[in-house]
Amino acid sequence: MELINFSFNAVTSEEEVRKIVGTPHEHITKKSVSQIDEHCKRFIEMSPLFFLSTANAEGKCDVSPRGDFPCGIQILNNKQLVIPDRPGNKRIDSILNIISNPHVGLLFLIPGLEEVLRINGRATIIKNPEILDSMSLNERPPLLGIGVDVEECFIHCPRAFKKSKVWDIDSWPTKESFPSSLEIFHSALLHNGVVLK
């Protein structure tokens, strides 16, 4: 299929976007807070899964899923939290992005709940042993931590989860209807010239 030139007839200014989309209600623009209040704290403590969005200095973006036991994230105070960086595949995409660009976005999920918590802020890669030791899992502290200075927190409406029916088991596809992660992994290796033995 021929590539489409997205720049043709593209929307390129906020003014043009507002003419098409309109402006949000005051309740929407003023729903965010600049600190981790009691409701945000409770949401984070109950969330076993969140997504970490980062971008490098060139603006190339990445979103990484992060799973941990509820309360795996340490809330230091109402303006700061620390994410443990558990051992993984050593790509460290998020870590490298944060080193060159500290701006991050977090999206917290609670199973069965259609609302999500969004947090935006600035991150720092930390190696403070006192903090990391307190976040040990199976007696193994994380190698690094991601300290976040929180700038904005707000609950996002449930529309996306309602429409997608993501928590509705009856709407889930069967595992047989899509390739396994191993098949996808092998396909990517072959595409990149890696010969499997």
Side-chain angles (χ1 to χ4, degrees):
M1 176 182 285
E2 186 178 346
L3 293 179
I4 296 171
N5 181 1
F6 287 125
S7 65
F8 177 72
N9 202 25
V11 177
T12 58
S13 70
E14 181 178 350
E15 182 183 12
E16 189 176 0
V17 172
R18 287 298 179 198
K19 283 182 180 178
I20 297 169
V21 176
T23 55
H25 190 279
E26 181 185 27
H27 293 173
I28 300 301
T29 59
K30 293 187 176 179
K31 71 176 181 177
S32 68
V33 294
S34 60
Q35 62 183 8
I36 305 170
D37 65 16
E38 60 179 303
H39 303 296
C40 295
K41 181 176 183 292
R42 182 66 177 140
F43 203 108
I44 294 168
E45 290 173 343
M46 294 179 65
S47 173
L49 174 67
F50 71 96
F51 294 85
L52 171 63
S53 175
T54 60
N56 66 15
E58 298 174 351
K60 293 181 180 178
C61 301
D62 182 71
V63 178
S64 172
R66 299 292 177 118
D68 213 324
F69 61 95
C71 302
I73 288 179
Q74 188 169 135
I75 299 172
L76 300 179
N77 49 59
N78 67 354
K79 293 290 289 184
Q80 295 177 307
L81 58 83
V82 177
I83 301 163
D85 193 63
R86 307 287 182 198
N89 60 17
K90 301 180 182 176
R91 278 186 57 112
I92 59 171
D93 297 313
S94 301
I95 298 288
L96 295 178
N97 283 349
I98 289 168
I99 287 173
S100 67
N101 176 2
H103 299 283
V104 296
L106 310 173
L107 184 71
F108 291 90
L109 307 179
I110 296 175
L113 190 66
E114 293 175 330
E115 291 81 4
V116 297
L117 174 66
R118 291 171 58 177
I119 292 182
N120 298 313
R122 295 173 66 89
T124 305
I125 307 305
I126 66 169
K127 56 182 181 179
N128 182 314
E130 184 178 345
I131 294 176
L132 297 182
D133 287 347
S134 70
M135 305 177 80
S136 293
L137 180 62
N138 298 324
E139 299 183 355
R140 292 183 62 190
L143 300 175
L144 295 168
I146 301 172
V148 178
D149 288 293
V150 172
E151 297 173 340
E152 182 179 39
C153 303
F154 60 95
I155 295 292
H156 194 93
C157 76
R159 183 178 301 155
F161 278 72
K162 284 184 181 296
K163 288 191 171 184
S164 66
K165 299 183 179 179
V166 71
W167 301 128
D168 180 3
I169 297 176
D170 294 333
S171 72
W172 293 358
T174 61
K175 288 186 177 180
E176 294 74 28
S177 65
F178 50 86
S180 69
S181 58
L182 188 59
E183 289 175 301
I184 296 170
F185 179 63
H186 284 172
S187 176
L189 291 179
L190 290 171
H191 177 79
N192 289 311
V194 179
V195 179
L196 300 172
K197 297 179 181 179

